[in-house]
Amino acid sequence: IDARPVSGVVAPDTHSHCVIPNVAKRADGTWGSLKIDMGERGDLLKLADAVYKAELTERLRKRGIALRPTDNGFELASIDDDTVRAWSPRKRQIDALLAQNGKTRSGSTEAERQWANLATREAKQAMRPEEYMALWRKLAREDGLTVAYDISLNKQQPTPEELALNALNHLTEREAVFRAPALQAQALLLGCAYHDRATMERAVQSVVNQYGIALEGDRLTTYRHAASAEYIRAFAKATCGTAAPLADQDKLPAFLAAQEARQGFAFSGDQREALTQILSSRDGIQCLVGPAGSGKTTAMQGIARAAQEAGLHAIGLA
Protein backbone atom coordinates (compact mmCIF):
# COMPACT_ATOMS: atom_id res chain seq x y z
CA ILE A 1 0.00 0.00 0.00
CA ASP A 2 3.00 2.34 0.29
CA ALA A 3 5.37 3.99 -2.16
CA ARG A 4 9.07 4.58 -1.65
CA PRO A 5 9.66 7.53 0.72
CA VAL A 6 10.66 10.94 -0.61
CA SER A 7 12.67 12.98 1.87
CA GLY A 8 11.40 10.68 4.58
CA VAL A 9 7.71 11.11 3.68
CA VAL A 10 5.82 8.01 2.54
CA ALA A 11 2.87 8.42 0.16
CA PRO A 12 0.09 5.87 -0.32
CA ASP A 13 0.38 3.67 -3.42
CA THR A 14 -2.42 1.11 -3.32
CA HIS A 15 -1.82 -1.39 -6.10
CA SER A 16 -1.96 -5.07 -6.92
CA HIS A 17 0.18 -7.61 -8.71
CA CYS A 18 -0.82 -10.55 -10.87
CA VAL A 19 1.90 -13.23 -10.82
CA ILE A 20 1.87 -16.09 -13.32
CA PRO A 21 4.58 -18.66 -12.51
CA ASN A 22 6.49 -19.80 -15.58
CA VAL A 23 5.90 -23.51 -14.92
CA ALA A 24 4.63 -25.92 -17.56
CA LYS A 25 4.10 -29.67 -17.68
CA ARG A 26 5.85 -31.53 -20.49
CA ALA A 27 4.31 -34.37 -22.51
CA ASP A 28 6.33 -36.90 -20.49
CA GLY A 29 4.90 -35.62 -17.21
CA THR A 30 7.99 -33.71 -16.05
CA TRP A 31 7.90 -30.01 -15.27
CA GLY A 32 9.92 -27.14 -16.71
CA SER A 33 9.78 -23.50 -17.76
CA LEU A 34 8.79 -22.01 -21.09
CA LYS A 35 11.22 -19.97 -23.18
CA ILE A 36 9.14 -16.87 -23.90
CA ASP A 37 10.32 -14.39 -26.53
CA MET A 38 8.53 -11.21 -25.50
CA GLY A 39 10.16 -9.34 -28.35
CA GLU A 40 8.31 -11.43 -30.91
CA ARG A 41 5.14 -11.99 -28.88
CA GLY A 42 5.14 -9.03 -26.52
CA ASP A 43 1.52 -8.43 -27.48
CA LEU A 44 0.55 -11.52 -25.47
CA LEU A 45 2.16 -9.99 -22.37
CA LYS A 46 0.16 -6.79 -22.93
CA LEU A 47 -3.00 -8.83 -23.45
CA ALA A 48 -2.45 -10.67 -20.15
CA ASP A 49 -2.10 -7.30 -18.41
CA ALA A 50 -5.29 -6.01 -20.05
CA VAL A 51 -7.25 -9.17 -19.15
CA TYR A 52 -6.18 -8.82 -15.52
CA LYS A 53 -7.27 -5.17 -15.41
CA ALA A 54 -10.59 -6.04 -17.05
CA GLU A 55 -11.28 -8.79 -14.51
CA LEU A 56 -10.28 -6.45 -11.67
CA THR A 57 -12.66 -3.70 -12.82
CA GLU A 58 -15.53 -6.18 -13.19
CA ARG A 59 -15.11 -7.37 -9.61
CA LEU A 60 -14.80 -3.80 -8.31
CA ARG A 61 -18.02 -2.77 -10.06
CA LYS A 62 -19.84 -5.77 -8.55
CA ARG A 63 -18.84 -4.40 -5.15
CA GLY A 64 -20.42 -1.05 -6.04
CA ILE A 65 -17.13 0.80 -6.52
CA ALA A 66 -17.39 3.54 -9.16
CA LEU A 67 -14.57 3.80 -11.70
CA ARG A 68 -13.39 6.36 -14.25
CA PRO A 69 -11.41 5.65 -17.42
CA THR A 70 -7.79 6.68 -18.02
CA ASP A 71 -5.46 6.32 -20.98
CA ASN A 72 -4.09 3.10 -19.54
CA GLY A 73 -7.09 1.57 -17.84
CA PHE A 74 -8.97 3.06 -14.90
CA GLU A 75 -8.87 4.90 -11.59
CA LEU A 76 -11.30 4.91 -8.68
CA ALA A 77 -13.91 7.57 -9.45
CA SER A 78 -13.74 8.80 -5.85
CA ILE A 79 -10.13 9.94 -6.30
CA ASP A 80 -9.68 12.79 -8.78
CA ASP A 81 -6.58 13.74 -10.78
CA ASP A 82 -5.62 16.59 -8.40
CA THR A 83 -5.53 14.16 -5.50
CA VAL A 84 -3.52 11.64 -7.52
CA ARG A 85 -0.94 14.32 -8.37
CA ALA A 86 -0.76 15.54 -4.78
CA TRP A 87 0.00 12.00 -3.58
CA SER A 88 2.62 11.25 -6.25
CA PRO A 89 5.90 12.64 -4.88
CA ARG A 90 7.88 9.68 -6.29
CA LYS A 91 6.69 10.46 -9.81
CA ARG A 92 7.62 14.13 -9.37
CA GLN A 93 11.01 13.10 -8.00
CA ILE A 94 11.75 10.85 -11.00
CA ASP A 95 10.48 13.46 -13.46
CA ALA A 96 12.70 16.10 -11.86
CA LEU A 97 15.83 13.98 -12.36
CA LEU A 98 14.84 13.30 -15.98
CA ALA A 99 14.33 17.05 -16.51
CA GLN A 100 17.81 17.76 -15.11
CA ASN A 101 19.15 15.57 -17.90
CA GLY A 102 17.02 17.17 -20.62
CA LYS A 103 14.44 14.37 -20.70
CA THR A 104 10.73 13.98 -20.11
CA ARG A 105 8.74 10.90 -19.15
CA SER A 106 7.25 10.62 -22.66
CA GLY A 107 10.51 11.60 -24.37
CA SER A 108 12.78 9.10 -22.60
CA THR A 109 13.54 5.44 -23.06
CA GLU A 110 12.49 2.73 -20.64
CA ALA A 111 16.15 2.31 -19.63
CA GLU A 112 16.44 6.05 -18.85
CA ARG A 113 13.28 6.00 -16.74
CA GLN A 114 14.54 2.89 -14.93
CA TRP A 115 17.84 4.67 -14.22
CA ALA A 116 16.02 7.71 -12.82
CA ASN A 117 13.87 5.41 -10.69
CA LEU A 118 16.82 3.56 -9.17
CA ALA A 119 18.98 6.69 -8.77
CA THR A 120 16.34 8.41 -6.60
CA ARG A 121 14.99 5.40 -4.70
CA GLU A 122 15.18 5.52 -0.90
CA ALA A 123 14.91 2.50 1.37
CA LYS A 124 11.39 1.51 2.39
CA GLN A 125 10.24 2.32 5.91
CA ALA A 126 8.83 -0.44 8.12
CA MET A 127 5.51 0.86 9.47
CA ARG A 128 2.30 -0.81 10.58
CA PRO A 129 -0.86 -0.16 8.50
CA GLU A 130 -2.42 1.92 11.29
CA GLU A 131 0.70 4.11 11.38
CA TYR A 132 0.45 4.67 7.63
CA MET A 133 -3.22 5.64 7.93
CA ALA A 134 -2.55 8.11 10.73
CA LEU A 135 0.27 9.72 8.73
CA TRP A 136 -1.81 10.00 5.56
CA ARG A 137 -4.81 11.48 7.37
CA LYS A 138 -2.50 14.09 8.91
CA LEU A 139 -0.94 14.97 5.53
CA ALA A 140 -4.36 15.12 3.86
CA ARG A 141 -5.66 17.53 6.48
CA GLU A 142 -2.58 19.73 6.09
CA ASP A 143 -3.01 19.82 2.31
CA GLY A 144 -6.77 20.35 2.47
CA LEU A 145 -7.46 17.17 0.50
CA THR A 146 -10.85 15.49 0.56
CA VAL A 147 -12.23 12.41 -1.17
CA ALA A 148 -14.99 13.36 -3.63
CA TYR A 149 -17.26 10.32 -3.60
CA ASP A 150 -19.73 11.85 -6.06
CA ILE A 151 -17.34 12.09 -9.03
CA SER A 152 -18.94 10.78 -12.22
CA LEU A 153 -17.71 10.22 -15.76
CA ASN A 154 -19.29 13.54 -16.85
CA LYS A 155 -19.98 12.22 -20.33
CA GLN A 156 -22.15 9.70 -22.08
CA GLN A 157 -20.88 6.19 -21.66
CA PRO A 158 -19.40 4.92 -24.95
CA THR A 159 -20.70 1.68 -26.40
CA PRO A 160 -18.47 -1.42 -26.51
CA GLU A 161 -18.34 -1.21 -30.32
CA GLU A 162 -17.23 2.44 -30.20
CA LEU A 163 -14.43 1.55 -27.81
CA ALA A 164 -13.35 -1.45 -29.91
CA LEU A 165 -13.32 0.73 -33.04
CA ASN A 166 -11.26 3.35 -31.20
CA ALA A 167 -8.78 0.60 -30.32
CA LEU A 168 -8.61 -0.47 -33.97
CA ASN A 169 -8.04 3.11 -35.12
CA HIS A 170 -5.33 3.58 -32.50
CA LEU A 171 -3.41 0.51 -33.64
CA THR A 172 -3.72 1.29 -37.34
CA GLU A 173 -2.37 4.82 -36.95
CA ARG A 174 1.12 3.30 -37.06
CA GLU A 175 0.74 -0.27 -38.28
CA ALA A 176 -0.92 -1.69 -41.38
CA VAL A 177 -0.64 -5.24 -40.05
CA PHE A 178 -1.13 -6.11 -36.39
CA ARG A 179 -1.85 -9.12 -34.21
CA ALA A 180 -5.26 -9.96 -32.81
CA PRO A 181 -3.99 -10.02 -29.18
CA ALA A 182 -2.75 -6.44 -29.57
CA LEU A 183 -6.23 -5.31 -30.62
CA GLN A 184 -7.85 -7.25 -27.77
CA ALA A 185 -5.47 -5.69 -25.23
CA GLN A 186 -6.02 -2.15 -26.49
CA ALA A 187 -9.81 -2.57 -26.47
CA LEU A 188 -9.81 -3.98 -22.93
CA LEU A 189 -7.68 -1.09 -21.66
CA LEU A 190 -10.04 1.44 -23.25
CA GLY A 191 -13.20 -0.33 -22.15
CA CYS A 192 -12.50 -1.91 -18.78
CA ALA A 193 -13.83 1.11 -16.87
CA TYR A 194 -17.15 0.86 -18.73
CA HIS A 195 -17.92 -2.75 -19.68
CA ASP A 196 -17.06 -6.27 -18.57
CA ARG A 197 -14.44 -8.33 -20.39
CA ALA A 198 -16.88 -10.66 -22.18
CA THR A 199 -18.79 -7.71 -23.61
CA MET A 200 -15.61 -6.06 -24.87
CA GLU A 201 -14.35 -9.31 -26.41
CA ARG A 202 -17.62 -9.65 -28.35
CA ALA A 203 -17.31 -6.04 -29.49
CA VAL A 204 -13.76 -6.66 -30.72
CA GLN A 205 -14.92 -9.64 -32.76
CA SER A 206 -17.76 -7.56 -34.21
CA VAL A 207 -15.37 -4.79 -35.26
CA VAL A 208 -12.94 -7.31 -36.77
CA ASN A 209 -15.80 -8.88 -38.76
CA GLN A 210 -16.79 -5.46 -40.12
CA TYR A 211 -13.43 -3.84 -40.80
CA GLY A 212 -10.74 -6.50 -40.54
CA ILE A 213 -9.11 -8.93 -42.93
CA ALA A 214 -7.53 -12.08 -41.48
CA LEU A 215 -4.00 -12.82 -42.69
CA GLU A 216 -1.69 -15.70 -41.77
CA GLY A 217 -1.70 -16.81 -38.15
CA ASP A 218 -3.32 -14.26 -35.87
CA ARG A 219 -2.33 -11.26 -37.97
CA LEU A 220 -4.94 -8.78 -39.17
CA THR A 221 -5.22 -5.78 -41.44
CA THR A 222 -8.15 -3.56 -42.43
CA TYR A 223 -9.99 -3.03 -45.69
CA ARG A 224 -8.67 0.54 -45.75
CA HIS A 225 -5.04 -0.58 -45.47
CA ALA A 226 -5.59 -3.34 -48.01
CA ALA A 227 -6.98 -0.78 -50.47
CA SER A 228 -3.97 1.47 -49.89
CA ALA A 229 -1.60 -1.44 -50.45
CA GLU A 230 -3.39 -2.37 -53.69
CA TYR A 231 -3.13 1.24 -54.90
CA ILE A 232 0.61 1.28 -54.17
CA ARG A 233 1.12 -2.04 -55.95
CA ALA A 234 -0.79 -0.80 -59.00
CA PHE A 235 1.16 2.46 -59.04
CA ALA A 236 4.47 0.63 -58.71
CA LYS A 237 3.55 -1.69 -61.58
CA ALA A 238 2.39 1.19 -63.81
CA THR A 239 5.57 3.21 -63.23
CA CYS A 240 8.00 0.29 -63.52
CA GLY A 241 10.70 1.22 -66.05
CA THR A 242 9.19 4.64 -66.80
CA ALA A 243 11.11 6.98 -64.46
CA ALA A 244 14.32 8.84 -65.20
CA PRO A 245 17.28 7.62 -63.10
CA LEU A 246 18.37 9.96 -60.33
CA ALA A 247 22.00 9.65 -61.42
CA ASP A 248 23.75 8.58 -64.62
CA GLN A 249 25.55 5.25 -64.33
CA ASP A 250 28.90 6.71 -65.39
CA LYS A 251 28.65 9.52 -62.82
CA LEU A 252 27.75 7.29 -59.87
CA PRO A 253 31.34 6.59 -58.68
CA ALA A 254 32.13 10.30 -58.52
CA PHE A 255 28.85 11.06 -56.74
CA LEU A 256 29.41 8.33 -54.13
CA ALA A 257 32.98 9.52 -53.52
CA ALA A 258 31.77 13.12 -53.06
CA GLN A 259 29.03 12.02 -50.66
CA GLU A 260 31.53 10.00 -48.61
CA ALA A 261 33.77 13.06 -48.40
CA ARG A 262 30.83 15.20 -47.22
CA GLN A 263 29.80 12.75 -44.49
CA GLY A 264 33.34 11.93 -43.42
CA PHE A 265 33.23 8.14 -43.73
CA ALA A 266 32.87 5.49 -46.43
CA PHE A 267 29.69 3.63 -47.28
CA SER A 268 29.50 -0.03 -46.37
CA GLY A 269 29.25 -2.58 -49.15
CA ASP A 270 25.49 -2.99 -48.65
CA GLN A 271 24.96 0.78 -48.58
CA ARG A 272 26.98 1.25 -51.77
CA GLU A 273 25.03 -1.52 -53.51
CA ALA A 274 21.68 -0.06 -52.40
CA LEU A 275 22.63 3.44 -53.55
CA THR A 276 23.85 2.15 -56.89
CA GLN A 277 20.67 0.18 -57.57
CA ILE A 278 18.25 2.89 -56.44
CA LEU A 279 20.00 5.84 -58.10
CA SER A 280 20.32 4.04 -61.43
CA SER A 281 16.82 2.48 -61.41
CA ARG A 282 14.03 3.53 -63.78
CA ASP A 283 11.23 2.35 -61.47
CA GLY A 284 8.81 4.87 -59.99
CA ILE A 285 8.86 3.33 -56.49
CA GLN A 286 11.96 2.10 -54.72
CA CYS A 287 12.08 0.22 -51.40
CA LEU A 288 15.07 0.12 -49.07
CA VAL A 289 14.66 -2.47 -46.32
CA GLY A 290 17.03 -3.30 -43.48
CA PRO A 291 17.13 -3.91 -39.72
CA ALA A 292 17.78 -1.20 -37.15
CA GLY A 293 21.36 0.08 -37.26
CA SER A 294 22.11 -1.23 -40.75
CA GLY A 295 22.64 2.26 -42.17
CA LYS A 296 19.36 3.00 -43.97
CA THR A 297 19.31 6.65 -42.86
CA THR A 298 22.86 7.25 -44.12
CA ALA A 299 21.98 5.68 -47.45
CA MET A 300 18.78 7.73 -47.67
CA GLN A 301 20.78 10.93 -47.14
CA GLY A 302 22.76 10.07 -50.24
CA ILE A 303 19.56 9.34 -52.20
CA ALA A 304 18.00 12.64 -51.08
CA ARG A 305 21.16 14.49 -52.10
CA ALA A 306 21.07 12.91 -55.57
CA ALA A 307 17.39 13.79 -55.96
CA GLN A 308 18.07 17.42 -55.03
CA GLU A 309 20.97 17.63 -57.49
CA ALA A 310 18.60 16.23 -60.15
CA GLY A 311 16.23 19.17 -59.48
CA LEU A 312 13.68 17.28 -57.41
CA HIS A 313 12.19 18.36 -54.08
CA ALA A 314 12.97 15.70 -51.45
CA ILE A 315 10.46 15.25 -48.62
CA GLY A 316 11.19 13.13 -45.54
CA LEU A 317 8.25 11.59 -43.67
CA ALA A 318 8.33 9.54 -40.47
Side-chain angles (χ1 to χ4, degrees), residues 12 85 87 92 95 113 161-162 219 248 259:
R85 282 190 290 269
W87 289 101
R92 295 196 299 272
D95 289 346
R113 292 191 293 274
E161 288 73 19
E162 288 173 337
R219 296 176 185 272
D248 295 333
Q259 183 65 16

Side-chain angles (χ1 to χ4, degrees), residues 242-260:
T242 65
L246 292 177
D248 295 333
Q249 188 74 33
D250 56 347
K251 295 180 180 179
L252 268 175
F255 171 80
L256 294 175
Q259 183 65 16
E260 287 175 334

Side-chain angles (χ1 to χ4, degrees), residues 118-306:
L118 296 176
T120 57
R121 190 165 68 175
E122 300 178 22
K124 278 204 169 188
Q125 298 181 8
M127 297 173 63
R128 297 192 304 274
E130 56 269 25
E131 292 176 317
Y132 280 125
M133 297 300 294
L135 170 65
W136 294 334
R137 289 195 182 99
K138 175 178 179 293
L139 294 175
R141 286 194 298 270
E142 292 175 352
D143 291 339
L145 294 174
T146 58
V147 178
Y149 288 101
D150 59 346
I151 290 178
S152 62
L153 297 177
N154 295 321
K155 62 180 180 180
Q156 185 176 359
Q157 180 169 299
T159 67
E161 288 73 19
E162 288 173 337
L163 292 163
L165 187 56
N166 286 344
L168 178 68
N169 290 333
H170 176 78
L171 282 182
T172 55
E173 284 178 352
R174 294 175 176 84
E175 297 180 78
V177 177
F178 52 93
R179 293 183 185 274
L183 176 59
Q184 294 165 3
Q186 186 64 35
L188 286 176
L189 290 177
L190 290 178
C192 66
Y194 299 105
H195 307 286
D196 60 65
R197 180 162 67 97
T199 300
M200 286 307 305
E201 288 175 346
R202 288 193 296 270
V204 168
Q205 189 58 56
S206 174
V207 165
V208 168
N209 292 341
Q210 294 180 66
Y211 302 98
I213 299 176
L215 304 175
E216 71 282 354
D218 59 0
R219 296 176 185 272
L220 301 169
T221 189
T222 65
Y223 286 105
R224 178 168 60 88
H225 283 90
S228 298
E230 181 56 37
Y231 172 82
I232 293 171
R233 282 195 294 268
F235 183 83
K237 185 176 180 180
T239 58
C240 182
T242 65
L246 292 177
D248 295 333
Q249 188 74 33
D250 56 347
K251 295 180 180 179
L252 268 175
F255 171 80
L256 294 175
Q259 183 65 16
E260 287 175 334
R262 280 190 289 266
Q263 65 192 23
F265 57 88
F267 289 115
S268 68
D270 287 342
Q271 288 173 326
R272 181 175 291 273
E273 181 181 357
L275 282 164
T276 299
Q277 290 187 15
I278 291 175
L279 295 178
S280 61
S281 173
R282 293 180 57 82
D283 293 338
I285 291 182
Q286 296 291 316
C287 295
L288 177 59
V289 181
S294 60
K296 298 185 299 295
T297 300
T298 299
M300 288 298 297
Q301 288 174 340
I303 295 169
R305 181 73 180 227

